[in-house]
Amino acid sequence: MTELARRSFLAGAAALAVAVPGRSSGAAAPRVVIAGAGFTGATCAEYLRKYAPGIAVTRVDRNPPHVACPGSNEVLVGLKRIQDLRRDVSAMARGRGLTFLRGEIAAIDPARRSIRLSNGQTVAGDALMVAPGIGFRWGAVQGYNQTTESTLPHAWIAGPQTEALRSSTPDPTRQPDRHPHHS
Ligand SMILES: Cc1cc2nc3c(=O)[nH]c(=O)nc-3n(C[C@H](O)[C@H](O)[C@H](O)COP(=O)(O)OP(=O)(O)OC[C@H]3O[C@@H](n4cnc5c(N)ncnc54)[C@H](O)[C@@H]3O)c2cc1C
């Protein structure tokens, strides 16, 4: 999505969000679709649930569990395990009036306030919030690409990248050899 398209989409979504509470009584519950169930998506869903419990909220993410970046430095130095950073966003949604849908978001249609998943399914709402976190512009750094990330892990997205960086980092709990043997 271009920057301009993204801005006009966000402006439209904000206007819709303001319009939702003004619906006539008896109308179906307003629906909000949140693309991404990381920190931003989860926070938005939580506050909607708290302050506007009549709104039906659906979060869509490729990943239950979500693996948090905060804390990943502790995994790198052996103070935490990667499983300590995992949160099952699907289980957290259950029983709390939130719907979670697992899927890879392939396209966003701002005009229809809908997203299309890679399996062809379309999810539409009265308002749409986009919270997908960061992505990569492969090729922006000369010589660094999707193949190189396995040999030079960046760990900017927690999970396998954190584990790859951890296994390529010397174990900080190992004492340095004070009496190296010189041949
Ligand atoms: C190494 C590291 C350490 C950090 N430590 C801290 C810290 O100590 N404290 C702190 O406050 N912040 C920290 N941060 C920053 C913090 O992680 C981010 O600010 C936060 O994750 C942003 O939240 P978000 O919801 O925007 O994105 P994310 O949390 O990344 O969530 C985005 C979600 O969207 C989903 N998604 C993306 N694209 C698609 C798609 N096409 N289809 C389906 N789902 C998709 C992803 O699976 C993900 O669950 C750290 C970041 C890094 C990289």
Side-chain angles (χ1 to χ4, degrees), residues 129-162:
M129 187 196 168
V130 181
I134 60 162
F136 293 87
R137 282 170 56 212
W138 297 115
V141 176
Q142 194 180 1
Y144 197 71
N145 55 41
Q146 230 163 337
T147 314
T148 336
E149 74 167 353
S150 58
T151 44
L152 279 175
H154 49 73
W156 284 326
I157 294 184
Q161 271 288 306
T162 317

PDB file of all heavy atoms in Angstrom, residues 129-162:
ATOM      1  N   MET A 129      -8.976  -1.835  11.330  1.00  0.00           N
ATOM      2  CA  MET A 129      -7.738  -1.292  11.875  1.00  0.00           C
ATOM      3  C   MET A 129      -6.581  -2.153  11.396  1.00  0.00           C
ATOM      4  O   MET A 129      -6.664  -3.379  11.452  1.00  0.00           O
ATOM      5  CB  MET A 129      -7.804  -1.306  13.396  1.00  0.00           C
ATOM      6  CG  MET A 129      -6.620  -0.614  13.988  1.00  0.00           C
ATOM      7  SD  MET A 129      -6.450  -1.007  15.689  1.00  0.00           S
ATOM      8  CE  MET A 129      -4.829  -0.351  15.951  1.00  0.00           C
ATOM      9  N   VAL A 130      -5.527  -1.507  10.951  1.00  0.00           N
ATOM     10  CA  VAL A 130      -4.391  -2.256  10.405  1.00  0.00           C
ATOM     11  C   VAL A 130      -3.212  -2.131  11.355  1.00  0.00           C
ATOM     12  O   VAL A 130      -2.728  -1.032  11.608  1.00  0.00           O
ATOM     13  CB  VAL A 130      -4.023  -1.735   9.001  1.00  0.00           C
ATOM     14  CG1 VAL A 130      -2.866  -2.534   8.418  1.00  0.00           C
ATOM     15  CG2 VAL A 130      -5.229  -1.810   8.078  1.00  0.00           C
ATOM     16  N   ALA A 131      -2.767  -3.251  11.925  1.00  0.00           N
ATOM     17  CA  ALA A 131      -1.683  -3.225  12.920  1.00  0.00           C
ATOM     18  C   ALA A 131      -0.721  -4.385  12.678  1.00  0.00           C
ATOM     19  O   ALA A 131      -0.578  -5.281  13.504  1.00  0.00           O
ATOM     20  CB  ALA A 131      -2.281  -3.311  14.336  1.00  0.00           C
ATOM     21  N   PRO A 132      -0.044  -4.372  11.516  1.00  0.00           N
ATOM     22  CA  PRO A 132       0.782  -5.543  11.169  1.00  0.00           C
ATOM     23  C   PRO A 132       2.229  -5.490  11.646  1.00  0.00           C
ATOM     24  O   PRO A 132       3.010  -6.376  11.300  1.00  0.00           O
ATOM     25  CB  PRO A 132       0.728  -5.535   9.635  1.00  0.00           C
ATOM     26  CG  PRO A 132       0.660  -4.076   9.299  1.00  0.00           C
ATOM     27  CD  PRO A 132      -0.053  -3.393  10.433  1.00  0.00           C
ATOM     28  N   GLY A 133       2.597  -4.466  12.419  1.00  0.00           N
ATOM     29  CA  GLY A 133       3.989  -4.393  12.869  1.00  0.00           C
ATOM     30  C   GLY A 133       4.925  -4.003  11.731  1.00  0.00           C
ATOM     31  O   GLY A 133       4.516  -3.345  10.778  1.00  0.00           O
ATOM     32  N   ILE A 134       6.163  -4.440  11.844  1.00  0.00           N
ATOM     33  CA  ILE A 134       7.157  -4.047  10.835  1.00  0.00           C
ATOM     34  C   ILE A 134       7.267  -5.093   9.732  1.00  0.00           C
ATOM     35  O   ILE A 134       6.856  -6.241   9.903  1.00  0.00           O
ATOM     36  CB  ILE A 134       8.559  -3.837  11.463  1.00  0.00           C
ATOM     37  CG1 ILE A 134       9.065  -5.131  12.129  1.00  0.00           C
ATOM     38  CG2 ILE A 134       8.544  -2.670  12.442  1.00  0.00           C
ATOM     39  CD1 ILE A 134      10.549  -5.145  12.371  1.00  0.00           C
ATOM     40  N   GLY A 135       7.843  -4.654   8.618  1.00  0.00           N
ATOM     41  CA  GLY A 135       8.171  -5.579   7.530  1.00  0.00           C
ATOM     42  C   GLY A 135       9.551  -5.221   7.012  1.00  0.00           C
ATOM     43  O   GLY A 135      10.198  -4.309   7.542  1.00  0.00           O
ATOM     44  N   PHE A 136       9.995  -5.915   6.014  1.00  0.00           N
ATOM     45  CA  PHE A 136      11.351  -5.688   5.504  1.00  0.00           C
ATOM     46  C   PHE A 136      11.333  -5.251   4.054  1.00  0.00           C
ATOM     47  O   PHE A 136      10.540  -5.776   3.263  1.00  0.00           O
ATOM     48  CB  PHE A 136      12.186  -6.967   5.630  1.00  0.00           C
ATOM     49  CG  PHE A 136      12.450  -7.326   7.061  1.00  0.00           C
ATOM     50  CD1 PHE A 136      11.548  -8.084   7.768  1.00  0.00           C
ATOM     51  CD2 PHE A 136      13.593  -6.870   7.694  1.00  0.00           C
ATOM     52  CE1 PHE A 136      11.767  -8.399   9.096  1.00  0.00           C
ATOM     53  CE2 PHE A 136      13.826  -7.164   9.020  1.00  0.00           C
ATOM     54  CZ  PHE A 136      12.912  -7.938   9.728  1.00  0.00           C
ATOM     55  N   ARG A 137      12.192  -4.319   3.719  1.00  0.00           N
ATOM     56  CA  ARG A 137      12.409  -3.967   2.321  1.00  0.00           C
ATOM     57  C   ARG A 137      13.678  -4.673   1.894  1.00  0.00           C
ATOM     58  O   ARG A 137      14.774  -4.116   1.984  1.00  0.00           O
ATOM     59  CB  ARG A 137      12.543  -2.454   2.163  1.00  0.00           C
ATOM     60  CG  ARG A 137      11.194  -1.740   2.208  1.00  0.00           C
ATOM     61  CD  ARG A 137      11.356  -0.249   2.287  1.00  0.00           C
ATOM     62  NE  ARG A 137      12.153   0.271   1.186  1.00  0.00           N
ATOM     63  CZ  ARG A 137      12.948   1.343   1.298  1.00  0.00           C
ATOM     64  NH1 ARG A 137      13.063   1.972   2.444  1.00  0.00           N
ATOM     65  NH2 ARG A 137      13.632   1.760   0.258  1.00  0.00           N
ATOM     66  N   TRP A 138      13.524  -5.946   1.510  1.00  0.00           N
ATOM     67  CA  TRP A 138      14.691  -6.722   1.116  1.00  0.00           C
ATOM     68  C   TRP A 138      15.361  -6.048  -0.076  1.00  0.00           C
ATOM     69  O   TRP A 138      14.692  -5.587  -0.991  1.00  0.00           O
ATOM     70  CB  TRP A 138      14.298  -8.153   0.759  1.00  0.00           C
ATOM     71  CG  TRP A 138      13.715  -8.895   1.928  1.00  0.00           C
ATOM     72  CD1 TRP A 138      12.448  -9.352   2.053  1.00  0.00           C
ATOM     73  CD2 TRP A 138      14.382  -9.223   3.152  1.00  0.00           C
ATOM     74  NE1 TRP A 138      12.268  -9.946   3.270  1.00  0.00           N
ATOM     75  CE2 TRP A 138      13.433  -9.887   3.961  1.00  0.00           C
ATOM     76  CE3 TRP A 138      15.674  -9.020   3.641  1.00  0.00           C
ATOM     77  CZ2 TRP A 138      13.748 -10.348   5.242  1.00  0.00           C
ATOM     78  CZ3 TRP A 138      15.976  -9.486   4.910  1.00  0.00           C
ATOM     79  CH2 TRP A 138      15.023 -10.137   5.689  1.00  0.00           C
ATOM     80  N   GLY A 139      16.652  -5.942  -0.017  1.00  0.00           N
ATOM     81  CA  GLY A 139      17.380  -5.303  -1.109  1.00  0.00           C
ATOM     82  C   GLY A 139      17.772  -3.870  -0.777  1.00  0.00           C
ATOM     83  O   GLY A 139      18.594  -3.270  -1.466  1.00  0.00           O
ATOM     84  N   ALA A 140      17.170  -3.282   0.295  1.00  0.00           N
ATOM     85  CA  ALA A 140      17.501  -1.898   0.653  1.00  0.00           C
ATOM     86  C   ALA A 140      18.946  -1.806   1.161  1.00  0.00           C
ATOM     87  O   ALA A 140      19.605  -0.792   0.990  1.00  0.00           O
ATOM     88  CB  ALA A 140      16.533  -1.376   1.703  1.00  0.00           C
ATOM     89  N   VAL A 141      19.411  -2.879   1.792  1.00  0.00           N
ATOM     90  CA  VAL A 141      20.807  -2.921   2.243  1.00  0.00           C
ATOM     91  C   VAL A 141      21.532  -3.874   1.296  1.00  0.00           C
ATOM     92  O   VAL A 141      21.175  -5.061   1.207  1.00  0.00           O
ATOM     93  CB  VAL A 141      20.915  -3.433   3.697  1.00  0.00           C
ATOM     94  CG1 VAL A 141      22.373  -3.560   4.123  1.00  0.00           C
ATOM     95  CG2 VAL A 141      20.149  -2.512   4.642  1.00  0.00           C
ATOM     96  N   GLN A 142      22.518  -3.325   0.595  1.00  0.00           N
ATOM     97  CA  GLN A 142      23.213  -4.123  -0.413  1.00  0.00           C
ATOM     98  C   GLN A 142      23.802  -5.392   0.206  1.00  0.00           C
ATOM     99  O   GLN A 142      24.476  -5.335   1.246  1.00  0.00           O
ATOM    100  CB  GLN A 142      24.331  -3.293  -1.037  1.00  0.00           C
ATOM    101  CG  GLN A 142      24.873  -3.911  -2.301  1.00  0.00           C
ATOM    102  CD  GLN A 142      25.995  -3.073  -2.900  1.00  0.00           C
ATOM    103  OE1 GLN A 142      26.370  -2.042  -2.349  1.00  0.00           O
ATOM    104  NE2 GLN A 142      26.517  -3.519  -4.015  1.00  0.00           N
ATOM    105  N   GLY A 143      23.495  -6.514  -0.403  1.00  0.00           N
ATOM    106  CA  GLY A 143      24.070  -7.783   0.042  1.00  0.00           C
ATOM    107  C   GLY A 143      23.261  -8.479   1.121  1.00  0.00           C
ATOM    108  O   GLY A 143      23.553  -9.609   1.492  1.00  0.00           O
ATOM    109  N   TYR A 144      22.226  -7.794   1.684  1.00  0.00           N
ATOM    110  CA  TYR A 144      21.432  -8.440   2.730  1.00  0.00           C
ATOM    111  C   TYR A 144      20.043  -8.746   2.176  1.00  0.00           C
ATOM    112  O   TYR A 144      19.333  -7.853   1.709  1.00  0.00           O
ATOM    113  CB  TYR A 144      21.303  -7.521   3.952  1.00  0.00           C
ATOM    114  CG  TYR A 144      20.856  -8.271   5.197  1.00  0.00           C
ATOM    115  CD1 TYR A 144      21.721  -9.158   5.840  1.00  0.00           C
ATOM    116  CD2 TYR A 144      19.582  -8.113   5.711  1.00  0.00           C
ATOM    117  CE1 TYR A 144      21.313  -9.857   6.968  1.00  0.00           C
ATOM    118  CE2 TYR A 144      19.169  -8.806   6.842  1.00  0.00           C
ATOM    119  CZ  TYR A 144      20.044  -9.679   7.462  1.00  0.00           C
ATOM    120  OH  TYR A 144      19.643 -10.381   8.578  1.00  0.00           O
ATOM    121  N   ASN A 145      19.673  -9.994   2.199  1.00  0.00           N
ATOM    122  CA  ASN A 145      18.374 -10.377   1.645  1.00  0.00           C
ATOM    123  C   ASN A 145      17.782 -11.520   2.472  1.00  0.00           C
ATOM    124  O   ASN A 145      18.330 -11.904   3.506  1.00  0.00           O
ATOM    125  CB  ASN A 145      18.513 -10.775   0.172  1.00  0.00           C
ATOM    126  CG  ASN A 145      19.550 -11.867  -0.004  1.00  0.00           C
ATOM    127  OD1 ASN A 145      19.611 -12.794   0.799  1.00  0.00           O
ATOM    128  ND2 ASN A 145      20.378 -11.742  -1.033  1.00  0.00           N
ATOM    129  N   GLN A 146      16.683 -12.072   1.995  1.00  0.00           N
ATOM    130  CA  GLN A 146      15.961 -13.089   2.751  1.00  0.00           C
ATOM    131  C   GLN A 146      16.786 -14.358   2.947  1.00  0.00           C
ATOM    132  O   GLN A 146      16.543 -15.123   3.880  1.00  0.00           O
ATOM    133  CB  GLN A 146      14.648 -13.419   2.048  1.00  0.00           C
ATOM    134  CG  GLN A 146      13.491 -13.375   2.999  1.00  0.00           C
ATOM    135  CD  GLN A 146      12.156 -13.292   2.292  1.00  0.00           C
ATOM    136  OE1 GLN A 146      12.067 -12.858   1.147  1.00  0.00           O
ATOM    137  NE2 GLN A 146      11.117 -13.707   2.969  1.00  0.00           N
ATOM    138  N   THR A 147      17.731 -14.580   2.043  1.00  0.00           N
ATOM    139  CA  THR A 147      18.596 -15.751   2.195  1.00  0.00           C
ATOM    140  C   THR A 147      19.651 -15.475   3.261  1.00  0.00           C
ATOM    141  O   THR A 147      19.948 -16.333   4.101  1.00  0.00           O
ATOM    142  CB  THR A 147      19.304 -16.068   0.856  1.00  0.00           C
ATOM    143  OG1 THR A 147      18.331 -16.015  -0.180  1.00  0.00           O
ATOM    144  CG2 THR A 147      19.985 -17.411   0.883  1.00  0.00           C
ATOM    145  N   THR A 148      20.176 -14.250   3.253  1.00  0.00           N
ATOM    146  CA  THR A 148      21.238 -13.904   4.199  1.00  0.00           C
ATOM    147  C   THR A 148      20.744 -13.899   5.646  1.00  0.00           C
ATOM    148  O   THR A 148      21.541 -14.066   6.563  1.00  0.00           O
ATOM    149  CB  THR A 148      21.801 -12.494   3.867  1.00  0.00           C
ATOM    150  OG1 THR A 148      21.554 -12.187   2.502  1.00  0.00           O
ATOM    151  CG2 THR A 148      23.273 -12.417   4.154  1.00  0.00           C
ATOM    152  N   GLU A 149      19.416 -13.686   5.849  1.00  0.00           N
ATOM    153  CA  GLU A 149      18.933 -13.566   7.235  1.00  0.00           C
ATOM    154  C   GLU A 149      19.138 -14.855   8.038  1.00  0.00           C
ATOM    155  O   GLU A 149      19.202 -14.808   9.251  1.00  0.00           O
ATOM    156  CB  GLU A 149      17.465 -13.114   7.298  1.00  0.00           C
ATOM    157  CG  GLU A 149      16.465 -14.167   6.923  1.00  0.00           C
ATOM    158  CD  GLU A 149      15.028 -13.790   7.307  1.00  0.00           C
ATOM    159  OE1 GLU A 149      14.792 -12.769   7.983  1.00  0.00           O
ATOM    160  OE2 GLU A 149      14.137 -14.558   6.905  1.00  0.00           O
ATOM    161  N   SER A 150      19.296 -15.992   7.343  1.00  0.00           N
ATOM    162  CA  SER A 150      19.535 -17.217   8.110  1.00  0.00           C
ATOM    163  C   SER A 150      20.992 -17.307   8.582  1.00  0.00           C
ATOM    164  O   SER A 150      21.271 -17.902   9.621  1.00  0.00           O
ATOM    165  CB  SER A 150      19.160 -18.451   7.287  1.00  0.00           C
ATOM    166  OG  SER A 150      19.899 -18.464   6.101  1.00  0.00           O
ATOM    167  N   THR A 151      21.916 -16.708   7.834  1.00  0.00           N
ATOM    168  CA  THR A 151      23.315 -16.753   8.263  1.00  0.00           C
ATOM    169  C   THR A 151      23.698 -15.537   9.106  1.00  0.00           C
ATOM    170  O   THR A 151      24.606 -15.612   9.928  1.00  0.00           O
ATOM    171  CB  THR A 151      24.259 -16.846   7.041  1.00  0.00           C
ATOM    172  OG1 THR A 151      23.808 -15.935   6.040  1.00  0.00           O
ATOM    173  CG2 THR A 151      24.304 -18.250   6.477  1.00  0.00           C
ATOM    174  N   LEU A 152      22.996 -14.413   8.884  1.00  0.00           N
ATOM    175  CA  LEU A 152      23.235 -13.197   9.691  1.00  0.00           C
ATOM    176  C   LEU A 152      21.901 -12.778  10.308  1.00  0.00           C
ATOM    177  O   LEU A 152      21.258 -11.837   9.867  1.00  0.00           O
ATOM    178  CB  LEU A 152      23.746 -12.058   8.803  1.00  0.00           C
ATOM    179  CG  LEU A 152      25.212 -12.019   8.427  1.00  0.00           C
ATOM    180  CD1 LEU A 152      25.473 -10.890   7.439  1.00  0.00           C
ATOM    181  CD2 LEU A 152      26.083 -11.839   9.663  1.00  0.00           C
ATOM    182  N   PRO A 153      21.443 -13.482  11.349  1.00  0.00           N
ATOM    183  CA  PRO A 153      20.096 -13.218  11.881  1.00  0.00           C
ATOM    184  C   PRO A 153      19.978 -11.800  12.452  1.00  0.00           C
ATOM    185  O   PRO A 153      20.907 -11.308  13.078  1.00  0.00           O
ATOM    186  CB  PRO A 153      19.932 -14.253  12.993  1.00  0.00           C
ATOM    187  CG  PRO A 153      21.111 -15.149  12.927  1.00  0.00           C
ATOM    188  CD  PRO A 153      22.163 -14.504  12.094  1.00  0.00           C
ATOM    189  N   HIS A 154      18.802 -11.152  12.213  1.00  0.00           N
ATOM    190  CA  HIS A 154      18.573  -9.792  12.719  1.00  0.00           C
ATOM    191  C   HIS A 154      17.762  -9.800  14.010  1.00  0.00           C
ATOM    192  O   HIS A 154      17.915  -8.920  14.846  1.00  0.00           O
ATOM    193  CB  HIS A 154      17.845  -8.963  11.651  1.00  0.00           C
ATOM    194  CG  HIS A 154      16.650  -9.650  11.069  1.00  0.00           C
ATOM    195  ND1 HIS A 154      15.490  -9.803  11.778  1.00  0.00           N
ATOM    196  CD2 HIS A 154      16.450 -10.258   9.872  1.00  0.00           C
ATOM    197  CE1 HIS A 154      14.610 -10.443  11.028  1.00  0.00           C
ATOM    198  NE2 HIS A 154      15.168 -10.747   9.859  1.00  0.00           N
ATOM    199  N   ALA A 155      16.868 -10.774  14.156  1.00  0.00           N
ATOM    200  CA  ALA A 155      16.022 -10.922  15.357  1.00  0.00           C
ATOM    201  C   ALA A 155      15.093  -9.737  15.582  1.00  0.00           C
ATOM    202  O   ALA A 155      14.707  -9.452  16.715  1.00  0.00           O
ATOM    203  CB  ALA A 155      16.859 -11.196  16.602  1.00  0.00           C
ATOM    204  N   TRP A 156      14.723  -9.033  14.529  1.00  0.00           N
ATOM    205  CA  TRP A 156      13.776  -7.925  14.681  1.00  0.00           C
ATOM    206  C   TRP A 156      12.352  -8.442  14.771  1.00  0.00           C
ATOM    207  O   TRP A 156      11.446  -7.681  15.119  1.00  0.00           O
ATOM    208  CB  TRP A 156      13.904  -6.944  13.518  1.00  0.00           C
ATOM    209  CG  TRP A 156      15.118  -6.084  13.641  1.00  0.00           C
ATOM    210  CD1 TRP A 156      15.676  -5.609  14.795  1.00  0.00           C
ATOM    211  CD2 TRP A 156      15.931  -5.574  12.585  1.00  0.00           C
ATOM    212  NE1 TRP A 156      16.783  -4.865  14.518  1.00  0.00           N
ATOM    213  CE2 TRP A 156      16.960  -4.817  13.159  1.00  0.00           C
ATOM    214  CE3 TRP A 156      15.886  -5.699  11.199  1.00  0.00           C
ATOM    215  CZ2 TRP A 156      17.930  -4.186  12.418  1.00  0.00           C
ATOM    216  CZ3 TRP A 156      16.862  -5.059  10.460  1.00  0.00           C
ATOM    217  CH2 TRP A 156      17.857  -4.314  11.065  1.00  0.00           C
ATOM    218  N   ILE A 157      12.122  -9.674  14.375  1.00  0.00           N
ATOM    219  CA  ILE A 157      10.815 -10.298  14.584  1.00  0.00           C
ATOM    220  C   ILE A 157      11.083 -11.522  15.453  1.00  0.00           C
ATOM    221  O   ILE A 157      11.832 -12.417  15.050  1.00  0.00           O
ATOM    222  CB  ILE A 157      10.146 -10.666  13.246  1.00  0.00           C
ATOM    223  CG1 ILE A 157       9.817  -9.362  12.491  1.00  0.00           C
ATOM    224  CG2 ILE A 157       8.886 -11.492  13.484  1.00  0.00           C
ATOM    225  CD1 ILE A 157       9.078  -9.523  11.204  1.00  0.00           C
ATOM    226  N   ALA A 158      10.509 -11.507  16.650  1.00  0.00           N
ATOM    227  CA  ALA A 158      10.839 -12.559  17.613  1.00  0.00           C
ATOM    228  C   ALA A 158      10.307 -13.913  17.160  1.00  0.00           C
ATOM    229  O   ALA A 158       9.270 -13.995  16.508  1.00  0.00           O
ATOM    230  CB  ALA A 158      10.273 -12.183  18.981  1.00  0.00           C
ATOM    231  N   GLY A 159      11.042 -14.961  17.494  1.00  0.00           N
ATOM    232  CA  GLY A 159      10.663 -16.326  17.102  1.00  0.00           C
ATOM    233  C   GLY A 159      11.898 -17.034  16.563  1.00  0.00           C
ATOM    234  O   GLY A 159      12.973 -16.979  17.185  1.00  0.00           O
ATOM    235  N   PRO A 160      11.778 -17.661  15.390  1.00  0.00           N
ATOM    236  CA  PRO A 160      12.916 -18.398  14.842  1.00  0.00           C
ATOM    237  C   PRO A 160      14.163 -17.520  14.681  1.00  0.00           C
ATOM    238  O   PRO A 160      15.288 -17.991  14.877  1.00  0.00           O
ATOM    239  CB  PRO A 160      12.407 -18.864  13.469  1.00  0.00           C
ATOM    240  CG  PRO A 160      10.921 -18.912  13.619  1.00  0.00           C
ATOM    241  CD  PRO A 160      10.560 -17.837  14.600  1.00  0.00           C
ATOM    242  N   GLN A 161      13.964 -16.225  14.361  1.00  0.00           N
ATOM    243  CA  GLN A 161      15.117 -15.335  14.202  1.00  0.00           C
ATOM    244  C   GLN A 161      15.848 -15.134  15.540  1.00  0.00           C
ATOM    245  O   GLN A 161      17.072 -15.072  15.583  1.00  0.00           O
ATOM    246  CB  GLN A 161      14.652 -13.983  13.646  1.00  0.00           C
ATOM    247  CG  GLN A 161      14.638 -13.943  12.142  1.00  0.00           C
ATOM    248  CD  GLN A 161      16.047 -13.898  11.573  1.00  0.00           C
ATOM    249  OE1 GLN A 161      16.844 -13.048  11.934  1.00  0.00           O
ATOM    250  NE2 GLN A 161      16.364 -14.828  10.683  1.00  0.00           N
ATOM    251  N   THR A 162      15.086 -15.032  16.624  1.00  0.00           N
ATOM    252  CA  THR A 162      15.703 -14.877  17.951  1.00  0.00           C
ATOM    253  C   THR A 162      16.520 -16.127  18.281  1.00  0.00           C
ATOM    254  O   THR A 162      17.651 -16.039  18.769  1.00  0.00           O
ATOM    255  CB  THR A 162      14.614 -14.677  19.039  1.00  0.00           C
ATOM    256  OG1 THR A 162      13.639 -13.770  18.549  1.00  0.00           O
ATOM    257  CG2 THR A 162      15.202 -14.180  20.336  1.00  0.00           C
TER     258      THR A 162
END
